[in-house]
Amino acid sequence: MDMVADLGSNRLYRAPGESSHQQPQRWFNTADITVSHQSNLLKQLNQQRRQELFCDCSVLVEGQLFRAHRNVLFASSGYFRMLLSQGPDGLSESVNATFDVFSPETFTVILDFIYSGQLDLSSHNVIEVMSAASYLQMNNVINYCKNFIKSSLDISVKDEDNDRCLSLSETCSFTSGAGEETSEQQQQGPSSVSPPPALWTRDNSRSQSGFIGKDPDPEASASALTNPNSPANELNTEAEDLQDPHDPLYTLPERRRGKGGTKRRAPNSTRSNHHEDLDMQEARTQKAEKAEELYATLPQIVGVIGHFNKDSNPIMRFKCPFCTHTVKRKADLKRHLRCHTGERPYPCQACNKRFTRLEHLRSHFETIHQARKLVCRKCKCQVTEETGHVVCEGTRRYRMCTACIQEVGCDNIPMDSLDGPNEEPALLLGVDGEEEGDTKRTWMVTDDDDLAEDSGADLIIQQVDDSDDDLQ
DNA sequence: CTGGGGAAGGGGCCC
DNA sequence: AGGGCCCCTTCCCCA
């Protein structure tokens, strides 16, 4: 029986020339051979790279030249798969690639990983490495970076487990086989890989950033966005994976939960969950601190994107580590990052809904809880402060004209809380966070003067300190 | 099924 | 740098 060593499986094989009838049999474990062989092969390739032997690919990163083997790059990176498969079929020709969206130091980390399986991550480079990996479409590296960040943000680990936790201040090294990709990606081949855009454009950003944070609806998305290997899709998944869906602070936006998802959050079950609430608050606080820690690394993810003004001076832009979006100002990037981190620092005192921006909270509050719109909800006619009666439905307030009020009839509007027209919406909220649309609604019709009187004082701006918003 | 409207989310940019 | 405004897009609900 001829012997064929299956290096891809972990099985026992007979030595060549031995049949099952021959005794004694000598068995050896091919897994050991596989590991040894891969390790030796990788070492050889790495040695060749360092000696620039048989290197047929030149990569220029911000002026610094890297030499590598095209087949190694091809096997390790979706970007290089695309790049190398698009070029002329002449295998003898040298291939050049130029990058200016990440630093040579970052590419060194990437290249070292490709050739050694060792990924040297630290709090100082994880964002940029992840960004570069996303650009180069290296899912395994992204996953390691994701795990690194996730470990750093993991607040569920109790104190006794702290020793096992990765800290942002630590430097760690992830090990994996170089060129490790999912079998799915391998099967899809280079033709299915979309290269990242060389330069960011407004339209491109619009579409991609618009996609991120929304449901990745394959029907509605453009073809490039439906590509599971496209940077936007990949990073969208990665960014969402970073979030703990059970974390109240990191609650995904409603629309990210899918079309079939309910829009209203289930109210807290009972007050017996008080301890859980406290734990959640503590977790939220810690996570917010970690997010701040992550934000502190922002200066390191600044990149000069390939834009130049009319004076040929480079325009500095801030690149999002989770997607291809770039912004002019760091503050805008910080604001943008909230759509990836899920951070919602502005809770509504009336309905506990949380917002990423103060202006969104204010708009929500004025629209939903203060009936600022001078439009009759029923007939859509314009009303004034005088003619528009304010109807309270739970924590929701809206205006109706006199005619519609009479048409509906006050008898049809439960008015069981008329003794408190000046109550702030926040005070109308049950202790368990009664939401709009609750079956036990509180309806009120108030004079507009009452609203005008208390309007402006209802909204209590509270940036998240997570101290008491869940307890109200 | 479709279109309109409301609400929310996000980007650009001015102050 | 933060706040705020404007605008656009997306999603959901409803007729």
Side-chain angles (χ1 to χ4, degrees):
Chain A
M1 180 179 95
D2 290 336
M3 191 65 219
V4 177
D6 182 2
L7 298 181
S9 62
N10 182 9
R11 298 166 59 185
L12 294 174
Y13 283 84
R14 280 185 207 93
E18 291 181 346
S19 71
S20 58
H21 306 291
Q22 291 176 311
Q23 297 295 336
Q25 293 178 340
R26 290 183 292 118
W27 298 88
F28 55 94
N29 192 337
T30 59
D32 295 337
I33 296 177
T34 302
V35 171
S36 174
H37 174 73
Q38 291 176 347
S39 176
N40 288 335
L41 184 60
L42 209 53
K43 283 178 183 175
Q44 278 295 321
L45 288 171
N46 199 16
Q47 200 171 350
Q48 290 175 16
R49 171 177 73 104
R50 296 186 183 284
Q51 296 174 352
E52 296 196 0
L53 282 175
F54 311 118
C55 290
D56 50 3
C57 192
S58 299
V59 181
L60 196 62
V61 182
E62 289 186 350
Q64 185 168 334
L65 183 67
F66 294 85
R67 300 280 291 162
H69 304 96
R70 77 168 75 186
N71 46 5
V72 175
L73 297 179
F74 188 99
S76 306
S77 158
Y79 179 91
F80 281 109
R81 264 199 297 280
M82 186 62 188
L83 181 73
L84 296 171
S85 62
Q86 277 184 340
D89 56 352
L91 293 177
S92 59
E93 295 183 17
S94 178
V95 176
N96 299 310
T98 303
F99 300 104
D100 56 3
V101 292
F102 43 76
S103 68
E105 292 76 20
T106 301
F107 189 68
T108 299
V109 173
I110 297 279
L111 204 55
D112 284 344
F113 170 77
I114 290 176
Y115 276 91
S116 70
Q118 302 279 334
L119 187 62
D120 289 327
L121 287 181
S122 72
S123 62
H124 301 294
N125 70 0
V126 60
I127 299 295
E128 197 172 358
V129 169
M130 186 172 173
S131 177
S134 69
Y135 192 92
L136 297 173
Q137 300 179 41
M138 300 174 67
N139 281 350
N140 45 355
V141 177
I142 293 173
N143 285 331
Y144 293 136
C145 294
K146 181 191 72 177
N147 289 334
F148 183 91
I149 297 173
K150 201 173 184 178
S151 300
S152 302
L153 294 175
D154 188 2
I155 43 73
S156 63
V157 180
K158 302 300 181 185
D159 290 339
E160 58 267 27
D161 294 330
N162 278 349
D163 292 341
R164 286 179 290 155
C165 264
L166 290 170
S167 166
L168 270 179
S169 60
E170 298 174 37
T171 297
C172 74
S173 175
F174 292 91
T175 305
S176 168
E180 174 186 335
E181 294 277 353
T182 63
S183 57
E184 182 183 354
Q185 285 176 298
Q186 300 278 21
Q187 289 166 0
Q188 283 173 334
S191 60
S192 64
V193 179
S194 297
L199 293 177
W200 174 85
T201 64
R202 178 190 170 99
D203 289 341
N204 190 23
S205 168
R206 262 293 183 191
S207 60
Q208 292 196 0
S209 61
F211 177 76
I212 290 171
K214 312 282 191 298
D215 268 339
D217 185 355
E219 293 178 359
S221 303
S223 59
L225 297 181
T226 57
N227 185 345
N229 278 339
S230 72
N233 267 358
E234 176 181 294
L235 286 168
N236 188 34
T237 304
E238 299 298 333
E240 290 195 359
D241 286 349
L242 284 173
Q243 303 175 51
D244 180 358
H246 303 294
D247 190 313
L249 174 60
Y250 284 72
T251 299
L252 291 173
E254 305 287 354
R255 61 184 61 171
R256 300 174 83 170
R257 295 175 183 165
K259 289 179 178 178
T262 173
K263 190 173 183 178
R264 296 188 180 91
R265 197 179 40 175
N268 295 338
S269 55
T270 62
R271 297 288 290 172
S272 65
N273 293 331
H274 181 69
H275 289 295
E276 292 179 13
D277 290 342
L278 291 178
D279 289 342
M280 287 163 60
Q281 290 172 32
E282 186 180 355
R284 199 184 297 157
T285 303
Q286 292 184 30
K287 205 153 199 174
E289 291 173 357
K290 290 295 184 181
E292 283 300 316
E293 200 173 347
L294 185 61
Y295 290 149
T297 67
L298 283 182
Q300 298 169 24
I301 59 178
V302 171
V304 180
I305 311 300
H307 293 298
F308 296 88
N309 59 19
K310 46 189 175 184
D311 298 328
S312 298
N313 295 321
I315 300 174
M316 287 290 288
R317 295 188 70 92
F318 295 82
K319 184 181 181 307
C320 173
F322 300 115
C323 69
T324 59
H325 183 61
T326 63
V327 294
K328 282 183 178 179
R329 303 189 316 152
K330 183 180 174 182
D332 285 339
L333 178 57
K334 187 173 181 178
R335 186 179 71 174
H336 164 80
L337 281 175
R338 288 192 186 134
C339 76
H340 294 303
T341 64
E343 186 189 12
R344 291 168 176 270
Y346 303 102
C348 174
Q349 294 294 291
C351 65
N352 278 355
K353 185 171 173 60
R354 308 179 76 97
F355 297 87
T356 58
R357 296 192 210 171
L358 179 60
E359 64 198 273
H360 288 165
L361 168 60
R362 183 175 290 119
S363 172
H364 158 83
F365 197 89
E366 291 179 357
T367 303
I368 303 299
H369 304 303
Q370 283 192 318
R372 283 293 178 87
K373 280 189 175 179
L374 297 177
V375 175
C376 173
R377 185 176 176 84
K378 190 168 186 295
C379 66
K380 311 296 180 188
C381 70
Q382 294 288 328
V383 298
T384 64
E385 298 279 347
E386 292 74 27
T387 63
H389 298 273
V390 176
V391 176
C392 296
E393 179 186 350
T395 63
R396 177 182 287 256
R397 292 183 177 189
Y398 50 83
R399 293 176 189 269
M400 290 178 74
C401 64
T402 306
C404 288
I405 286 284
Q406 291 175 347
E407 183 180 340
V408 173
C410 286
D411 293 341
N412 294 332
I413 302 178
M415 299 165 68
D416 52 353
S417 296
L418 282 175
D419 54 340
N422 284 328
E423 276 188 310
E424 295 181 0
L427 299 178
L428 296 173
L429 185 67
V431 290
D432 289 336
E434 178 186 344
E435 296 278 338
E436 308 153 16
D438 194 290
T439 52
K440 293 182 179 179
R441 287 172 173 167
T442 302
W443 292 70
M444 295 187 299
V445 178
T446 68
D447 288 338
D448 191 66
D449 290 344
D450 295 328
L451 180 82
E453 199 174 313
D454 64 2
S455 64
D458 288 348
L459 178 57
I460 304 170
I461 303 300
Q462 180 194 19
Q463 185 155 4
V464 69
D465 58 3
D466 308 300
S467 56
D468 58 358
D469 57 277
D470 275 350
L471 295 177
Q472 292 184 1

